[in-house]
Amino acid sequence: MDEWTQEPRSLYELEFPAPAVAGTEGGGPVLVHALEGYADAGHAVTLAASHLRDALDSELVATFNSDELIDYRSRRPVISFSGDKFDGIEMPTLAMHAVRDNSGIPFLLLEGPEPDLRWDQFTTAMSALAERFGVSQVVGLNSIPMAVPHTRPAPITGHGTDEEALTDLNNWGSPMKLPASASMLMELRLGEAGYRTAGLSASVPHYLAQANYPSAAASLVEAVATVTGLDLPISALENAASDVRKQIDGEVESNEEIATVVSALENQYDAYMRSKEEQASLLAPDESMPTGDELGAEFERFLAEHAGEFGDSDEGRDQA
């Protein structure tokens, strides 16, 4: 039996002819998966993926069947109304592209909404695609709300089977159980299949988790470049991060209570960075520290007023 007859082909459609994705000296490409939804605080994963595809040359490789994977009732598509009739709809798209870095080296980028359904079939399909294209390394992107200040670089925590690539990154350091995502399952299954896997999680200030936060996106892209050796652009994301930083700093300076909280987060962050050997976890801030809800209440008005500037993910993509 042909090895490909067992692929769950109904889940995706391949472009023909498929783009060439062989790496240097015939090596296989890196696969980067960047799924929106569960672990995308600050829309950092979405911003990073759209930035890579927009800033670099790319070709469509495969498109997944959204009807098979997405629950439209939980994430309803946006439909437009002209005033007297419906005239368009934005359906979710999950697709894989072949992208070339600044040096012309190709890699695969899977981007779009996290599947709601058929996770096992989806990960089986991704395993088949990884085998078809001779993938050499798999890197997943996540962003998580944490007790970190916006005035410091967004920290990156690494995990996965690719120990050599992850050596210089922070790690969680202790066992835990947490709600799964399709991205996590893909990392698990591809690791079990023998692929070198790396998961990169950016820490986003918990009070900015619902706004666009390009600083975390820039940290993710930089981390991808570090663990894969790809030559990736980040200047546009850094410029967007600088603009957002100025807007937030202006609000902080005008509100003494917010400034006090941000200062406390800075002290905690700096103490953590000075004492990594103590394995203090930013996942569990001291009880004396203000909670995300406390700080979020102060920022709610600010974010609502400035939603048109940096609160909409599509606009954030344009900035990136």
Side-chain angles (χ1 to χ4, degrees):
M1 181 179 292
D2 188 319
E3 63 178 318
W4 301 115
T5 59
Q6 298 183 24
E7 283 187 40
R9 289 284 189 98
S10 64
L11 288 189
Y12 64 86
E13 181 179 352
L14 281 168
E15 292 296 298
F16 184 83
V21 293
T24 56
E25 301 179 357
V30 172
L31 167 62
V32 178
H33 53 98
L35 300 180
E36 308 166 11
Y38 173 64
D40 192 14
H43 308 129
V45 174
T46 302
L47 290 171
S50 8
H51 166 74
L52 288 174
R53 191 157 58 82
D54 293 344
L56 298 166
D57 293 333
S58 67
E59 298 176 79
L60 182 63
V61 173
T63 304
F64 283 81
N65 186 343
S66 296
D67 281 354
E68 294 290 330
L69 297 172
I70 304 300
D71 179 359
Y72 299 130
R73 292 174 301 176
S74 66
R75 286 185 287 183
R76 294 182 182 272
V78 176
I79 193 167
S80 58
F81 187 68
S82 66
D84 54 8
K85 65 180 179 180
F86 295 106
D87 58 5
I89 189 168
E90 300 175 14
M91 297 298 289
T93 301
L94 176 60
M96 186 166 71
H97 289 80
V99 186
R100 294 187 177 274
D101 75 355
N102 287 329
S103 300
I105 298 175
F107 64 96
L108 296 170
L109 174 64
L110 175 71
E111 64 167 329
E114 176 194 24
D116 297 304
L117 310 169
R118 304 181 188 276
W119 281 11
D120 281 333
Q121 292 182 36
F122 171 67
T123 53
T124 298
M126 286 305 304
S127 294
L129 287 168
E131 184 176 354
R132 174 183 286 274
F133 291 105
V135 164
S136 60
Q137 184 182 17
V138 181
V139 179
L141 307 185
N142 304 280
S143 54
I144 304 171
M146 302 281 272
V148 295
H150 72 278
T151 54
R152 300 291 186 269
I156 299 292
T157 301
H159 44 83
T161 65
D162 197 348
E163 296 181 2
E164 182 178 352
L166 297 169
T167 299
D168 296 330
L169 292 176
N170 298 324
N171 61 74
W172 296 121
S174 59
M176 65 183 77
K177 290 186 182 294
L178 62 160
S181 69
S183 179
M184 296 174 189
L185 181 60
M186 183 162 34
E187 181 180 323
L188 172 65
R189 295 296 186 230
L190 290 175
E192 291 174 339
Y195 291 95
R196 296 161 48 209
T197 64
L200 305 174
S201 298
S203 298
V204 173
H206 46 33
Y207 51 91
L208 295 172
Q210 300 303 314
N212 281 339
Y213 195 62
S215 177
S219 291
L220 283 173
V221 171
E222 185 175 17
V224 172
T226 298
V227 303
T228 64
L230 293 169
D231 183 2
L232 303 175
I234 60 171
S235 59
L237 286 173
E238 290 176 334
N239 291 337
S242 177
D243 291 340
V244 170
R245 167 72 184 272
K246 291 175 183 177
Q247 293 170 344
I248 299 171
D249 282 348
E251 176 66 15
V252 170
E253 291 172 1
S254 66
N255 188 306
E256 184 177 350
E257 184 173 355
I258 292 177
T260 299
V261 173
V262 171
S263 177
L265 289 172
E266 290 173 337
N267 292 336
Q268 176 180 272
Y269 179 97
D270 293 341
Y272 170 77
M273 297 303 291
R274 288 193 300 266
S275 57
K276 285 183 181 180
E277 66 278 3
E278 296 178 5
Q279 297 183 351
S281 174
L282 289 172
L283 275 171
D286 295 339
E287 292 183 1
S288 60
M289 291 298 298
T291 67
D293 288 341
E294 292 170 341
L295 185 56
E298 291 295 327
F299 266 94
E300 185 176 357
R301 174 184 57 80
F302 170 63
L303 294 178
E305 290 177 355
H306 295 272
E309 298 175 27
F310 59 91
D312 180 80
S313 60
D314 292 334
E315 183 171 331
R317 295 181 190 181
D318 293 339
Q319 289 179 341

Short mmCIF file of all heavy atoms in Angstrom, two decimals, residues 4 7 16 48 59 160 188 241 295 318:
data_model
loop_
_atom_site.label_atom_id
_atom_site.label_comp_id
_atom_site.label_asym_id
_atom_site.label_seq_id
_atom_site.Cartn_x
_atom_site.Cartn_y
_atom_site.Cartn_z
N TRP A 4 1.29 7.04 1.38
CA TRP A 4 0.52 8.26 1.56
C TRP A 4 -0.99 8.02 1.50
O TRP A 4 -1.77 8.93 1.74
CB TRP A 4 0.90 9.29 0.48
CG TRP A 4 2.34 9.64 0.54
CD1 TRP A 4 3.28 9.39 -0.41
CD2 TRP A 4 3.03 10.27 1.61
NE1 TRP A 4 4.51 9.81 -0.01
CE2 TRP A 4 4.39 10.37 1.24
CE3 TRP A 4 2.65 10.76 2.86
CZ2 TRP A 4 5.35 10.93 2.06
CZ3 TRP A 4 3.61 11.32 3.67
CH2 TRP A 4 4.94 11.39 3.26
N GLU A 7 -2.87 8.96 4.69
CA GLU A 7 -2.91 10.34 5.18
C GLU A 7 -4.36 10.81 5.31
O GLU A 7 -5.21 10.48 4.49
CB GLU A 7 -2.22 11.29 4.18
CG GLU A 7 -0.72 11.26 4.22
CD GLU A 7 -0.16 12.35 3.33
OE1 GLU A 7 -0.74 13.46 3.33
OE2 GLU A 7 0.83 12.10 2.64
N PHE A 16 0.07 22.30 -5.92
CA PHE A 16 0.82 21.55 -6.92
C PHE A 16 1.23 22.49 -8.04
O PHE A 16 0.39 23.23 -8.57
CB PHE A 16 -0.02 20.40 -7.48
CG PHE A 16 0.76 19.54 -8.45
CD1 PHE A 16 1.59 18.53 -7.99
CD2 PHE A 16 0.67 19.79 -9.82
CE1 PHE A 16 2.31 17.77 -8.89
CE2 PHE A 16 1.40 19.03 -10.72
CZ PHE A 16 2.22 18.01 -10.25
N ALA A 48 3.96 37.60 15.34
CA ALA A 48 5.22 37.02 14.88
C ALA A 48 5.04 36.29 13.55
O ALA A 48 5.84 36.45 12.62
CB ALA A 48 5.78 36.07 15.93
N GLU A 59 5.52 31.12 -0.18
CA GLU A 59 4.64 30.44 -1.12
C GLU A 59 3.74 29.50 -0.34
O GLU A 59 4.17 28.84 0.60
CB GLU A 59 5.44 29.62 -2.14
CG GLU A 59 6.38 30.41 -3.02
CD GLU A 59 7.18 29.48 -3.93
OE1 GLU A 59 6.63 29.04 -4.96
OE2 GLU A 59 8.34 29.19 -3.58
N GLY A 160 11.01 21.09 25.21
CA GLY A 160 11.03 20.22 24.04
C GLY A 160 12.15 19.20 24.12
O GLY A 160 12.84 19.07 25.13
N LEU A 188 4.31 17.20 21.30
CA LEU A 188 4.42 15.88 21.91
C LEU A 188 4.51 14.78 20.87
O LEU A 188 5.42 13.94 20.91
CB LEU A 188 3.22 15.63 22.83
CG LEU A 188 3.09 14.22 23.42
CD1 LEU A 188 4.25 13.90 24.35
CD2 LEU A 188 1.75 14.07 24.14
N ALA A 241 7.13 47.77 18.71
CA ALA A 241 7.23 47.64 20.17
C ALA A 241 7.61 48.97 20.81
O ALA A 241 7.09 49.33 21.88
CB ALA A 241 8.26 46.57 20.53
N LEU A 295 -4.28 45.18 38.67
CA LEU A 295 -3.66 46.08 37.71
C LEU A 295 -4.52 46.23 36.47
O LEU A 295 -4.64 47.30 35.88
CB LEU A 295 -2.28 45.55 37.32
CG LEU A 295 -1.45 46.45 36.39
CD1 LEU A 295 -1.29 47.83 37.00
CD2 LEU A 295 -0.10 45.83 36.12
N ASP A 318 -0.47 45.21 10.67
CA ASP A 318 0.02 46.23 9.75
C ASP A 318 1.22 46.95 10.33
O ASP A 318 2.17 47.26 9.61
CB ASP A 318 -1.10 47.26 9.49
CG ASP A 318 -2.26 46.63 8.72
OD1 ASP A 318 -2.06 45.58 8.09
OD2 ASP A 318 -3.38 47.18 8.79
#
